[in-house]
Amino acid sequence: MIDVIVVGGGPTGLMLAAELRLHGVRVVVLERDPEPTPVVRSLGLHVRSIEIMDQRGLLERFLEQGKQYPVGAGFFAGITKPAPDLDTAHAYVLGIPQPRTDRLLNEHAVELGADIRRGCELVGLSQTEDATEDGTGVTAELADGTRLRARYLVGCDGGRSTVRKLLGVGFPGESARVETLIGEMRVEAAPETVATVVAEVRETHRGFGLGPLGDGVYRVVVPAEGVTEDRSVPPTLDEVKRQLRAYAGTDFGVHSPSWLSRFGDATRQAERYRTGRVLLAGDAAHIHPPVGGQGLNLGIQDAFNLGWKLAAEVRGWAPADLLDSYHAERHPVAADVLDNTRAQMLLLSAEPGPSAVRRLLSELMDFEDVNRHLIEKITAIGVRYDFADGDGDGDGGGGGGRDGGGHGLIGRRLRDVPLKHGRLYELMRTGRGLLLDRTGSLSVTGWSDRVDHVVPEGLEGLEELEGLSAPAVLLRPDGYVAWAGDDQRELLARLPKWFGAAAS
């Protein structure tokens, strides 16, 4: 039997498949489209996603395919402020079109042994639970009549998720009220003319733009005439030209599009991320406007949180409620993203009220703490999971920076630092837990098959981490601090919470 079926071969599904394979889980990815799409739905990776790629040894591949840009340049609602001082070794945005991200993640998943099947459309699923091994699991029915059995199934199949609909999971929120056309195409008008006209139009329509990509090719963004019933149907070039003329008085001589698409400002979130043995991740669990470029990044971070937990469940060492902590931690994070994108959409309006709020917020962002707070939201390095309670028990979840008590590091991720032998993030590439022990007196005996133990001689340089006041820290496989201190009894109380019972 397959261990996990992942429905959807986009960045979320591919990242999840790779994380599962790190732990030897048998995974099959089902992707409906027979070929990768050329449509650029995302333009790059934010800081936390860049850190994730570094933690899995992928960053060099991504850096070769992308371009680094400074953090803070119009990140929040297009308000440009100087980049704040961020607690990261990767204080930049990596501009990389989504098709390249998809290709790199696909290569990574295949290298690790994932079985990726294209042209496979899910049309039905059912779950069974009984005392026999063969009777417990999920049956996936494909459009060609094929049936596959797996122990678990994860829907990473986008905003119109078939998996979510088949489960009957509610998807409350707001329908799209505005729609935008986007595409890459050649432009005949002179660059100076394009720049002048775009600047004039953006005075009253901030959702309008033509960005040069080189060699006469531009990325064109223009409001649509209305909201279509089916946004999966791409716009025509004539539709784009008509809207350009409506807003700019010219179509700039656009022609020869390499791709065309449309997006709306619908904002919705799944009521629950888990239903028995079926889970949701990425756009299948949440959709929101693309302002701030958070969608792809949010999905990758969902997969990074879920992968090791689902693998632990499959491998048989997961503690009680570990898999449920995926919803408990990631649902609040996505809710916060939905809120900040709602706010940004209002701030992009040229109406007098939102414009006044925008001017006020721009003044407030001159305070570095305010600017940093908003940038940390967009880049996701401000996320703190609320599972700290100071006594080793925890409550299993939360997110968005709330303080659950205990040591100030608990629930946060650590930035990368150079160590005596390599770097901190290089120690995380196996996807195992990690005890950074500057005391040299602690032990993870009983968990050594799940947790690596690094002692003082290997930790020179760790003191460079701002706020690392603890003698030792226990990191989960996703890099978040699960425990901090120097007491072996406290450590022994915390290890089972995230890594299950000690091996005999």
Side-chain angles (χ1 to χ4, degrees):
M1 181 188 292
I2 300 165
D3 289 326
V4 179
I5 293 173
V6 176
V7 181
T12 302
L14 293 170
M15 188 74 206
L16 177 60
E19 288 297 290
L20 292 169
R21 285 301 305 151
L22 272 181
H23 299 276
V25 173
R26 294 165 295 182
V27 58
V28 171
V29 178
L30 303 178
E31 169 53 48
R32 180 186 61 186
D33 295 339
E35 299 293 336
T37 176
V39 176
V40 182
R41 296 189 177 95
S42 170
L43 297 175
L45 301 181
H46 283 311
V47 176
R48 182 58 191 144
S49 296
I50 293 169
E51 291 181 340
I52 285 172
M53 298 309 165
D54 195 5
Q55 288 170 349
R56 292 299 182 260
L58 297 174
L59 185 55
E60 289 303 317
R61 303 186 195 185
F62 278 83
L63 291 177
E64 290 174 358
Q65 296 291 320
K67 183 176 180 180
Q68 297 179 35
Y69 296 94
V71 171
F75 263 31
F76 197 88
I79 300 173
T80 301
K81 295 292 178 182
D85 183 21
L86 298 177
D87 181 30
T88 180
H90 300 287
Y92 56 88
V93 182
L94 184 62
I96 179 170
Q98 184 172 334
R100 295 183 197 173
T101 295
D102 291 349
R103 175 173 58 79
L104 292 172
L105 290 177
N106 188 89
E107 291 173 357
H108 176 54
V110 170
E111 288 169 3
L112 290 173
D115 181 359
I116 299 174
R117 305 179 187 180
R118 288 196 161 272
C120 296
E121 182 180 2
L122 181 80
V123 295
L125 64 83
S126 60
Q127 301 187 62
T128 54
E129 295 277 356
D130 62 34
T132 65
E133 181 178 350
D134 290 341
T136 297
V138 183
T139 300
E141 181 181 350
L142 307 187
D144 64 1
T146 302
R147 290 176 178 267
L148 299 175
R149 287 280 290 165
R151 297 175 66 182
Y152 290 89
L153 183 146
V154 185
C156 304
D157 50 342
R160 292 182 289 273
S161 170
T162 298
V163 173
R164 187 187 65 244
K165 293 173 183 176
L166 290 171
L167 288 174
V169 172
F171 203 42
E174 306 93 55
S175 299
R177 289 162 290 187
V178 297
E179 188 170 280
T180 302
L181 310 181
I182 184 171
E184 292 182 3
M185 60 203 76
R186 294 195 168 275
V187 173
E188 290 300 322
E192 299 81 9
T193 301
V194 174
T196 299
V197 175
V198 168
E200 293 174 352
V201 176
R202 285 182 61 83
E203 289 292 324
T204 55
H205 297 91
R206 296 192 178 102
F208 180 94
L210 278 79
L213 301 175
D215 195 27
V217 177
Y218 282 70
R219 179 170 291 111
V220 176
V221 181
V222 60
E225 186 174 6
V227 177
T228 61
E229 291 187 6
D230 185 0
R231 285 193 304 280
S232 65
V233 178
T236 64
L237 180 60
D238 285 341
E239 186 179 353
V240 173
K241 286 183 173 182
R242 184 169 64 250
Q243 291 307 106
L244 286 172
R245 290 193 293 267
Y247 282 85
T250 175
D251 62 15
F252 301 97
V254 297
H255 65 94
S256 306
S258 57
W259 58 269
L260 295 169
S261 186
R262 64 177 88 234
F263 62 84
D265 65 340
T267 304
R268 296 182 179 277
Q269 185 174 21
E271 290 178 333
R272 59 185 185 275
Y273 286 9
R274 181 186 180 190
T275 303
R277 291 178 172 266
V278 182
L279 300 102
L280 301 172
D283 288 353
H286 39 70
I287 58 172
H288 54 84
V291 289
Q294 299 169 87
L296 176 145
N297 292 272
L298 187 60
I300 285 175
Q301 292 153 29
D302 283 348
F304 205 58
N305 183 285
L306 174 59
W308 69 278
K309 297 174 180 177
L310 184 52
E313 193 73 28
V314 170
R315 303 295 290 178
W317 59 260
D321 301 327
L322 179 65
L323 198 52
D324 287 331
S325 75
Y326 165 64
H327 170 96
E329 291 176 5
R330 295 304 296 172
H331 196 277
V333 171
D336 188 68
V337 171
L338 266 61
D339 279 348
N340 83 57
T341 54
R342 286 183 178 107
Q344 290 184 75
M345 287 299 292
L346 286 175
L347 291 168
L348 289 172
S349 169
E351 293 295 316
S355 293
V357 176
R358 182 186 179 88
R359 289 191 294 271
L360 177 60
L361 181 61
S362 181
E363 291 180 19
L364 292 173
M365 288 176 68
D366 287 333
F367 293 96
E368 185 169 359
D369 285 348
V370 175
N371 190 26
R372 181 186 299 109
H373 177 72
L374 294 176
I375 298 305
E376 286 182 348
K377 279 184 175 292
I378 301 295
T379 60
I381 63 172
V383 169
R384 179 178 184 178
Y385 296 134
D386 187 19
F387 52 72
D389 61 7
D391 63 6
D393 292 330
D395 63 8
R402 294 167 301 194
D403 192 347
H407 196 285
L409 287 173
I410 297 177
R412 301 188 184 279
R413 103 280 182 258
L414 297 183
R415 67 176 173 88
D416 190 28
V417 291
L419 302 174
K420 184 175 182 180
H421 305 292
R423 298 183 290 113
L424 174 60
Y425 281 7
E426 291 174 338
L427 301 178
M428 300 182 184
R429 293 182 176 173
T430 61
R432 292 156 55 91
L434 184 64
L435 177 64
L436 304 174
D437 176 15
R438 291 192 292 183
T439 73
S441 63
L442 300 173
S443 170
V444 292
T445 301
W447 290 272
S448 58
D449 59 330
R450 286 153 271 172
V451 180
D452 294 327
H453 186 190
V454 184
V455 292
E457 54 264 29
L459 295 177
E460 291 183 12
L462 194 61
E463 63 275 3
E464 294 180 20
L465 275 172
E466 181 181 353
L468 189 63
S469 56
V473 293
L474 175 67
L475 299 180
R476 306 189 317 182
D478 57 359
Y480 285 81
V481 178
W483 171 84
D486 61 3
D487 188 297
Q488 178 69 27
R489 289 173 299 177
E490 290 181 3
L491 176 61
L492 291 176
R494 179 58 73 173
L495 281 163
K497 168 67 182 176
W498 299 110
F499 298 100
S504 58

